[in-house]
Amino acid sequence: MASFFSKLFGRGGGSAAPAKIAEETEAYNDLLLVAAPIPECRQHQLAGRIEKRDGDRVMVRTFIRADLFASRDDTVASTFRKAKQIADQHGASLFSDGADSRQV
């Protein structure tokens, strides 16, 4: 019984590894869009990144939004829509600073 409560309240010797976030990708113009929903209390939070390859170098722009969805599929679809919106609104300036990675 104590073992059950130890696991429930985070006490004891076992440590749970963080869950691996399953990602989905979609090509858009010369970019790679990556949807990586974050599990949040039986829902999924909108999160992803936009990647651009420049030779051997890959520049990454990550984003997380407050939007929560009950369905993972809805979250992925919304993430791709948001990534396209970000890419279209920022255009070339999205990667013009030359940083390897940053939040947008």
Side-chain angles (χ1 to χ4, degrees), residues 2-51:
S3 175
F4 169 77
F5 287 112
S6 294
K7 289 179 184 176
L8 183 64
F9 295 110
R11 296 184 179 97
S15 65
K20 172 78 172 128
I21 298 174
E23 299 178 342
E24 296 188 34
T25 60
E26 181 177 305
Y28 183 67
N29 297 331
D30 63 338
L31 306 172
L32 180 66
L33 311 179
V34 181
I38 301 170
E40 184 71 39
C41 298
R42 296 189 194 131
Q43 294 181 322
H44 305 276
Q45 185 175 9
L46 190 150
R49 64 185 183 272
I50 303 167
E51 298 180 356

Side-chain angles (χ1 to χ4, degrees), residues 76-104:
V76 169
S78 293
T79 302
F80 287 140
R81 275 194 306 275
K82 178 54 79 173
K84 289 174 185 176
Q85 180 184 23
I86 292 168
D88 291 342
Q89 286 178 345
H90 290 271
S93 69
L94 184 61
F95 295 96
S96 65
D97 63 358
D100 285 340
S101 82
R102 69 175 168 89
Q103 291 270 167
V104 290

